[in-house]
Amino acid sequence: MLNFIKKFAAKIWASQHIKKADMWKSRSVENQQKLLFEMVKTAEKTLFGREHDFENIKTIKDFQEKVSVADYEDLKPYIEKVKRGQRHILWPETPEYFAKTSGTTSGSKYIPISKEGMPFQIAGAQSALFHYIQKKGNADFVNGKMIFLQGSPELEEVFGIKTGRLSGIVAHHIPNYLQKNRLPSWETNLIEDWEAKVDKIVEETEKENMTLISGIPPWLIMYFEKLTAKTGKKIKILFPNLQLIVTGGVNYEPYREKMEELLGGSVDIVQTFPASEGFFAFQDDYQKEGLLLLTNHGIFYEFIPLELFGKPNAPRLTLKDIELNKDYAMILTTNSGLWAYSIGDVVRFIDKNPHRVLVSGRTKHFTSAFGEHVIAFEVEEALKATLQKIHAQITEFHLAPEVNPKDGLPYHEWFIEFEKEPENLEEFKNELERQLRQRNTYYDDLISGNILQKLKITSLKKNAFQEYAKSQGKLGGQSKIPRLANDRKIAELLEKYQF
């Protein structure tokens, strides 16, 4: 009886939530403009607001003229003041949290999350589940055990501001009605060593009634492989009531075939687009590609055409200006005090009613040593099309240029860890080459003009990418290895894992 009540209640909540969501979906452009002006007004008396004349911002054009696009290095002087306990710097008062992320040029980044911003991190995930319940008519998962593969929930304090990984922060905000069903245990979640942690998670979950599992694809695969190795069973046999997998962080498609093999049965997938800076989008339509952009969740969005990103006077477009099927660098202004912040993600709109996006890459993750500017979306789509024609299974890959080969012309080198190699690797390579040339005319011109020779594939041993990540201290729930590079720093380290 209790299980029936929980399912019934979940469906009612979902129905009510969808009605409210339908209202903001139809007014995204208006809501975005209103949101920007509300945030500017709120932060008018902060140090940042005074320095950028927020008091005289009356239009979006005013905002764009007074507030330049910024990256973390640009905002770091303000964030350092906040870290020292100063108030009213980027946002009124001090942040409720710092989400600590690993940076490159900046070292560790401290992303502020205000008391106004934190609820939207939780609401984004809840909305994804409510949309699933309403669209699928399925709330069975609320009665089973749920697991979230995440970082440690242990938080440190920086001048009184609680600081940790976003996933660890979110762990403190799981609704009470889900806490009893939630795994792993708090003690297991505190384990820092990722392999030891996953081993313990396997031990805690292998005999449970798992109905929902959440995490980024590479580490879901690691968890599933360990479960299968220990029990000898496919995941769907081990967890017959598994209803739903919620995933995000990277594009799911390149992992789909491997996941389906490990699962050994049908499980619904909901893809999401979260980050320390905000919860941006989730899959709301399971019949088509694309993620619903959350336009009323404390974030004002701007978009710079990718080919113009980083150039002087590059246009900053709002939702009313964007075009479909074009790549844009995404710029954020948030109710946690990030102003015209370049997050580094590249999106492609595939629908305007409502606004749906594909995450097509990273502004810093591309291959363009020869002017081709190949991006992640093109690479992943080329690989997907190749796998549809030539049977093989890929665990992970990395693409890097070889500018100065010992012999012949330069080329693109693909480092691929195959779960199942194609019967004819040369045929696979030629098809992959053909698919990529179809998607990137600049690359095609370089091949046709004998500037580049055709791509080469270097096959890597099993678990090569896990071993690489471990060697770099990046084996963990939220760590992601770039799939594209413009140099050979990662490639040189991957070479030692080849057959």
Side-chain angles (χ1 to χ4, degrees):
M1 184 63 179
L2 180 60
N3 286 351
F4 172 78
I5 293 172
K6 287 173 69 176
K7 284 172 56 178
F8 183 72
K11 288 184 177 181
I12 291 176
W13 291 340
S15 178
Q16 293 172 343
H17 179 86
I18 297 300
K19 288 179 182 177
K20 292 179 181 178
D22 287 342
M23 293 174 66
W24 64 254
K25 289 176 193 176
S26 64
R27 296 200 298 262
S28 290
V29 172
E30 297 89 337
N31 288 342
Q32 280 279 282
Q33 180 169 300
K34 180 182 177 184
L35 175 63
L36 174 64
F37 296 149
E38 287 175 350
M39 290 190 291
V40 166
K41 183 65 177 176
T42 299
E44 195 174 90
K45 303 301 183 184
T46 63
L47 176 62
F48 191 92
R50 296 195 308 272
E51 289 183 352
H52 293 81
D53 195 21
F54 276 17
E55 190 173 1
N56 290 309
I57 292 177
K58 308 301 180 187
T59 65
I60 291 175
K61 184 179 179 182
D62 289 343
F63 175 76
Q64 293 175 339
E65 288 176 349
K66 294 177 185 295
V67 183
S68 300
V69 173
D71 60 16
Y72 187 81
E73 284 297 310
D74 296 318
L75 293 184
K76 189 174 181 181
Y78 297 97
I79 291 174
E80 288 299 314
K81 292 180 187 295
V82 178
K83 284 173 63 180
R84 292 195 294 269
Q86 297 184 35
R87 300 163 62 194
H88 307 296
I89 303 300
L90 288 165
W91 192 253
E93 300 302 330
T94 54
E96 187 172 10
Y97 297 100
F98 275 129
K100 189 176 180 181
T101 69
S102 58
T104 51
T105 58
S106 305
S108 293
K109 296 181 181 180
Y110 292 80
I111 306 298
I113 304 177
S114 68
K115 69 177 185 295
E116 294 90 348
M118 190 64 219
F120 286 117
Q121 287 280 8
I122 308 304
Q126 288 176 330
S127 189
L129 294 179
F130 282 142
H131 274 75
Y132 170 80
I133 291 170
Q134 177 72 358
K135 293 289 179 71
K136 290 281 191 173
N138 177 22
D140 290 347
F141 66 87
V142 301
N143 289 317
K145 295 292 185 180
M146 308 176 194
I147 187 169
F148 304 89
L149 296 176
Q150 58 190 195
S152 170
E154 190 169 28
L155 305 179
E156 59 180 337
E157 288 203 356
V158 176
F159 274 95
I161 301 171
K162 294 177 181 178
T163 302
R165 299 171 187 164
L166 176 66
S167 59
I169 293 170
V170 170
H172 293 265
H173 292 266
I174 301 296
N176 289 333
Y177 63 87
L178 292 181
Q179 288 288 6
K180 290 182 180 180
N181 292 23
R182 180 173 169 268
L183 290 170
S185 66
W186 189 265
E187 293 73 22
T188 295
N189 251 345
L190 290 175
I191 298 173
E192 286 290 346
D193 181 272
W194 187 250
E195 287 186 294
K197 183 173 185 170
V198 175
D199 287 338
K200 188 65 176 175
I201 290 172
V202 167
E203 182 183 317
E204 288 187 0
T205 58
E206 63 175 309
K207 295 181 181 178
E208 295 287 351
N209 177 31
M210 303 304 301
T211 54
L212 183 152
I213 297 174
S214 176
I216 70 171
W219 310 119
L220 288 173
I221 286 173
M222 182 179 181
Y223 168 54
F224 290 159
E225 286 181 333
K226 284 179 176 287
L227 276 168
T228 300
K230 184 173 183 181
T231 65
K233 298 178 181 178
K234 298 281 188 180
I235 301 305
K236 191 60 176 163
I237 295 174
L238 188 63
F239 303 140
N241 296 319
L242 180 61
Q243 304 287 314
L244 181 61
I245 290 174
V246 180
T247 184
V250 296
N251 184 4
Y252 180 74
E253 288 306 318
Y255 300 95
R256 184 179 292 277
E257 187 176 358
K258 174 67 174 175
M259 287 282 286
E260 288 176 351
E261 180 184 307
L262 288 166
L263 289 168
S266 177
V267 179
D268 289 332
I269 308 293
V270 172
Q271 299 180 56
T272 64
F273 183 14
S276 298
E277 294 83 357
F279 199 112
F280 310 129
F282 60 78
Q283 186 178 6
D284 72 318
D285 189 324
Y286 313 104
Q287 304 302 316
K288 61 175 72 170
E289 288 188 304
L291 308 179
L292 175 70
L293 189 69
L294 300 176
T295 56
N296 71 329
H297 276 226
I299 301 169
F300 173 75
Y301 298 95
E302 297 174 85
F303 305 93
I304 298 177
L306 184 58
E307 69 274 13
L308 300 176
F309 179 72
K311 295 182 178 179
N313 302 315
R316 291 159 60 178
L317 309 179
T318 58
L319 281 182
K320 68 181 178 61
D321 306 310
I322 56 93
E323 299 176 30
L324 297 182
N325 302 311
K326 186 171 182 176
D327 293 302
Y328 295 100
M330 191 165 75
I331 311 299
L332 313 173
T333 290
T334 77
N335 62 357
S336 289
L338 298 177
W339 300 98
Y341 184 78
S342 175
I343 190 175
D345 284 303
V346 178
V347 297
R348 176 178 297 186
F349 283 88
I350 60 170
D351 202 346
K352 291 185 182 182
N353 185 28
H355 290 89
R356 290 194 180 92
V357 298
L358 296 172
V359 183
S360 54
R362 297 278 295 168
T363 56
K364 293 183 179 179
H365 295 169
F366 56 86
T367 302
S368 193
F370 315 98
E372 66 276 37
H373 208 87
V374 173
I375 63 172
F377 185 80
E378 294 165 337
V379 165
E380 289 170 353
E381 287 294 296
L383 188 56
K384 179 181 176 181
T386 301
L387 291 169
Q388 288 173 346
K389 293 195 171 188
I390 300 174
H391 184 65
Q393 197 173 97
I394 288 176
T395 301
E396 192 53 276
F397 70 91
H398 176 77
L399 170 58
E402 177 53 86
V403 179
N404 298 304
K406 292 180 181 179
D407 299 301
L409 297 170
Y411 55 88
H412 282 183
E413 184 170 11
W414 291 62
F415 293 84
I416 300 179
E417 180 185 332
F418 286 101
E419 179 70 20
K420 291 180 180 176
E421 285 205 18
E423 290 184 8
N424 188 323
L425 187 60
E426 187 68 19
E427 181 186 7
F428 183 90
K429 183 187 78 171
N430 290 337
E431 182 61 27
L432 182 58
E433 177 78 25
R434 188 177 72 82
Q435 294 290 345
L436 187 55
R437 290 177 70 174
Q438 282 184 356
R439 287 164 174 78
N440 188 296
T441 57
Y442 301 108
Y443 179 68
D444 183 51
D445 289 343
L446 289 167
I447 299 294
S448 301
N450 290 319
I451 307 299
L452 297 181
Q453 61 175 303
K454 291 183 177 180
L455 67 84
K456 296 189 177 182
I457 292 177
T458 297
S459 296
L460 302 182
K461 298 175 182 177
K462 185 172 175 59
N463 297 325
F465 280 89
Q466 283 188 24
E467 290 300 317
Y468 163 77
K470 187 176 180 181
S471 73
Q472 300 300 302
K474 293 184 178 293
L475 187 64
Q478 303 301 314
S479 297
K480 295 164 280 190
I481 298 171
R483 285 184 163 161
L484 287 92
N486 211 30
D487 55 41
R488 292 188 64 81
K489 291 178 182 177
I490 295 175
E492 289 171 358
L493 294 170
L494 289 173
E495 285 175 344
K496 67 180 181 180
Y497 300 106
Q498 62 185 298
F499 284 107

